[in-house]
Amino acid sequence: LKMFRTKLSGAFMLSAVGLQTPCSSRAAFTRPHIMASGMTSMGIAEVAGSAATTEELRSCKIGGCCGKDTPKLSNEDVLARLPAIPQWNLSADGTTITRGFVAKNWAAAMKFFNDVSILAEEEGHHPDLHLTSWRNVQVDLSTHAIPGLSLPDFVLAAKIDAIEVEYSPKWLREQAAGRAE
């Protein structure tokens, strides 16, 4: 895995290059229609249950199957899946889900980015990663080819939430205080 970084719009973007993940020909359940490419009609290689809970989303396999034929989720499907990824927010236009936090330090932010990069390569679906002020992290997920949200965005969000993060203690206190209000 070869890493490089570029400066874009004042934020450092970390990208992974050198690996390609083909679509898997496996499907865990027969409920979704299986297309000739091996992708289900839901836009992923393996579907777990209804892919609506955190556990079901984490059990799905994207398999690098996102493209212009990936089905866009309806507003109702998006809103039904948001509770499974409570750390994520829906954009005003409904085309992107976003998660942001303050890492403890530069090293913690970069470790998170590297862990996300490995996961994204394994799944074949890649988020937009933003790092500003050396530890403010933002992750944006959207299926650019359709422009909007698809099931792979929610699968990757649930899996990203399982990545261990070393948060800023001050940020954690502020988050706890905000929930208490």
Side-chain angles (χ1 to χ4, degrees), residues 72 75 78 90-98 142 147-149:
K72 189 174 184 177
N75 290 338
V78 167
L90 182 62
S91 65
D93 64 2
T95 63
T96 305
I97 50 176
T98 300
S142 181
L149 290 167

Side-chain angles (χ1 to χ4, degrees), residues 170-181:
K170 179 182 177 185
W171 182 82
L172 284 173
R173 285 191 303 274
E174 291 169 352
Q175 296 303 302
R179 284 190 300 267
E181 293 176 358

